[in-house]
Amino acid sequence: MPRMGPQERRTEQRREQREALRERILEVSREIVRREGFASLSMRKLAEAIDYSPAALYLHFKSRGDIARALRAEGHASLRAAFLAHTSIVDPAARLNAMGRAYVEFGLAEPETYRLMFMEHTDSAQAGADATGNGHAAEHGATTLSLIADAFVELRAANRLPAHAAPVACAEGLWANLHGIVALKLTGAALPETPAATLVELSLDAWFPPANRTEPRFDSANRPDTSTR
Amino acid sequence: MPRMGPQERRTEQRREQREALRERILEVSREIVRREGFASLSMRKLAEAIDYSPAALYLHFKSRGDIARALRAEGHASLRAAFLAHTSIVDPAARLNAMGRAYVEFGLAEPETYRLMFMEHTDSAQAGADATGNGHAAEHGATTLSLIADAFVELRAANRLPAHAAPVACAEGLWANLHGIVALKLTGAALPETPAATLVELSLDAWFPPANRTEPRFDSANRPDTSTR
DNA sequence: GTCTATAGTGTGATAGAC
DNA sequence: GTCTATCACACTATAGAC
């Protein structure tokens, strides 16, 4: 460990201050988005909330979209954490059930964050246009998705998947299905009047039929039945 | 048929002119939305396109959102028409397959219209706030959805519906699943890299297992006897 | 019915003083 | 690093002349 001279220590302090402010901006942004949605996160409002001038924000974030990226990354981390809580379930089908439920619960519990992550990506492509060379949103999503795909791989290995279906495709399919449930609920359309929990039940039953009721699927042994609503 | 005096004829002409202009506005709006999305349909742009002043628009539509409603209604009619093309299929499962495919095709073929119909309804609730007492978007959707629900009723009657599931709930579930596929593709997220067609295939197979497969979808005989967890 | 003109409000981002 | 001031836009909707 190299010793620091007073010089280094001072710049080190500055760096920490910098990071602290950046974190603070992120924190406030996160809260605003959570309560009012990303659409109503304006640089002015944000600046006022952290008691700085709007211009100060641009010292820490290149643009408003840059903040969005950061928040999306947080969201993906959070979702991934929710998934990891179920990796200990041995049976892949049961695990997928639990994760599927967790996914929908996440979306309904944090609607605006979910929207930011999966429903407002309209701009999409040009993310790569930045010289900064990021746009790793895909990456975050992919690692999370792989938790799902892994379970399908296991199913496949146990010969419990129809031959022609690629595990990754299955994972994306299941994901898309669940996304549909969340998305419809979040748009506030009157139409799916069936409770989300029921829709999830139906979808998961379709993917992983309760062959004989004996074979445990949602068995209450390892899952308290928190009904999302 | 009552004869018209010159008086009535004149007012009749005026009424027709009025309707014609309204129709023209709608026509141009539809095209703009189709190409650029509803978000970029501004009253100014629209006015310029039909060669009137912005103010003129408000004589035919109460607001921008009012135009959105009209376009949504058109969209629902169009979708319904796509469904009706398959009502002649006798087997309910096969019919649902066809309709499901048609649904996704519709969404992918008219992404911006689809977005307007199902993905931008964020405002939702206050639609009823208008004194005009409309907000019947739900109604449109419901009649279309009933085409799906009907098929589920038939399946149920033929005892081909696995369990206790209510037909309407099934219809909404299937719909939500397909919506998810379309929605993810439309947001331009990098992530579902599997082609939509494949995802649709997987989803529909899950709901309506192909006949050649044995009754329990995942052969429980092959299941390793590991207890969950 | 249709126009011109504009009110009123929002936005993201930047220049330049300190 | 931070601020003030501002550019350069966009928007919906309306008042009031014709």
Side-chain angles (χ1 to χ4, degrees):
Chain A
M1 208 86 163
R3 301 289 304 255
M4 283 195 241
Q7 172 71 19
E8 286 90 341
R9 184 166 294 115
R10 227 176 293 121
T11 72
E12 174 72 7
Q13 272 179 4
R14 258 203 284 276
R15 205 190 54 87
E16 274 173 18
Q17 261 186 352
R18 237 190 95 83
E19 291 247 322
L21 182 49
R22 190 191 148 96
E23 199 45 55
R24 179 125 174 283
I25 293 173
L26 228 38
E27 210 169 298
V28 172
S29 300
R30 192 189 311 131
E31 219 48 38
I32 292 181
V33 166
R34 208 161 58 160
R35 292 196 315 257
E36 315 172 39
F38 179 72
S40 80
L41 174 71
S42 77
M43 298 306 259
R44 291 151 122 85
K45 189 191 291 185
L46 176 52
E48 196 182 10
I50 66 168
D51 233 72
Y52 277 85
S53 89
L57 300 171
Y58 291 89
L59 265 24
H60 299 84
F61 293 95
K62 229 186 51 171
S63 71
R64 182 168 170 269
D66 202 30
I67 297 181
R69 259 197 297 279
L71 292 179
R72 266 197 288 264
E74 286 189 1
H76 280 290
S78 168
L79 176 59
R80 187 177 168 79
F83 278 174
L84 287 175
H86 296 110
T87 42
S88 60
I89 300 178
V90 176
D91 180 70
R95 194 192 316 146
L96 284 170
N97 258 281
M99 286 183 177
R101 273 177 235 270
Y103 181 87
V104 174
E105 270 162 33
F106 174 85
L108 297 182
E110 297 288 354
E112 296 298 347
T113 303
Y114 186 90
R115 210 185 234 103
L116 176 61
M117 290 167 68
F118 297 118
M119 301 171 70
E120 281 179 2
H121 210 220
T122 297
D123 44 330
S124 73
Q126 76 317 341
D130 295 63
T132 58
N134 38 13
H136 292 162
E139 189 177 293
H140 286 289
T143 61
T144 301
L145 189 72
S146 72
L147 289 178
I148 302 290
D150 286 350
F152 273 103
V153 169
E154 293 178 42
L155 272 182
R156 164 68 152 265
N159 228 345
R160 289 161 68 188
L161 257 196
H164 53 285
V168 172
C170 289
E172 294 189 339
L174 175 59
W175 171 43
N177 285 180
L178 297 177
H179 169 69
I181 296 173
V182 178
L184 281 182
K185 286 291 175 189
L186 292 199
T187 51
L191 255 170
E193 44 189 17
T194 305
T198 307
L199 296 178
V200 172
E201 211 71 32
L202 286 171
S203 299
L204 292 178
D205 278 3
W207 280 84
F208 317 110
N212 273 335
R213 282 297 179 188
T214 57
E215 188 69 28
R217 273 181 347 93
F218 327 127
D219 68 327
S220 34
N222 49 20
R223 271 223 105 258
D225 186 33
T226 58
S227 58
T228 40
R229 180 147 302 219
Chain B
M1 207 87 164
R3 302 288 304 256
M4 284 195 239
Q7 172 69 19
E8 285 91 343
R9 183 166 296 115
R10 229 175 293 120
T11 70
E12 174 70 8
Q13 273 180 3
R14 257 202 285 273
R15 204 189 55 87
E16 275 171 19
Q17 262 186 349
R18 237 190 96 82
E19 292 248 320
L21 182 49
R22 189 192 148 96
E23 198 44 55
R24 180 124 173 284
I25 294 173
L26 228 37
E27 211 169 296
V28 173
S29 300
R30 192 188 310 132
E31 220 46 39
I32 293 180
V33 166
R34 209 160 57 160
R35 294 197 312 258
E36 314 172 39
F38 180 72
S40 80
L41 173 71
S42 77
M43 298 307 257
R44 290 148 122 86
K45 189 191 289 184
L46 176 53
E48 195 182 11
I50 65 168
D51 233 72
Y52 278 87
S53 89
L57 299 173
Y58 291 90
L59 298 172
H60 298 85
F61 293 94
K62 230 187 49 171
S63 71
R64 183 168 170 267
D66 202 30
I67 297 181
R69 259 197 296 280
L71 292 179
R72 265 197 288 262
E74 286 187 2
H76 279 291
S78 169
L79 175 58
R80 187 179 168 77
F83 278 174
L84 286 176
H86 296 110
T87 42
S88 59
I89 301 179
V90 177
D91 180 69
R95 194 191 318 148
L96 283 170
N97 258 280
M99 286 182 176
R101 271 178 241 271
Y103 180 87
V104 174
E105 270 162 33
F106 173 85
L108 297 182
E110 297 289 354
E112 295 299 346
T113 303
Y114 186 90
R115 210 185 235 104
L116 176 59
M117 290 168 66
F118 297 119
M119 299 170 71
E120 281 179 2
H121 209 222
T122 297
D123 44 330
S124 72
Q126 76 312 349
D130 295 64
T132 59
N134 37 13
H136 292 162
E139 189 175 294
H140 287 288
T143 63
T144 302
L145 188 73
S146 72
L147 289 178
I148 302 290
D150 286 349
F152 273 104
V153 170
E154 292 178 44
L155 271 184
R156 167 67 151 263
N159 229 342
R160 288 163 68 191
L161 205 49
H164 42 288
V168 172
C170 288
E172 294 189 338
L174 175 59
W175 171 42
N177 284 180
L178 297 176
H179 168 69
I181 296 172
V182 178
L184 281 182
K185 285 291 176 188
L186 293 198
T187 52
L191 254 170
E193 45 189 16
T194 304
T198 306
L199 297 178
V200 172
E201 213 70 33
L202 286 171
S203 299
L204 291 178
D205 279 3
W207 281 84
F208 317 110
N212 61 357
R213 210 181 285 143
T214 45
E215 180 51 46
R217 183 153 168 258
F218 300 145
D219 190 0
S220 41
N222 289 350
R223 284 188 169 185
D225 200 24
T226 60
S227 58
T228 54
R229 202 177 257 276

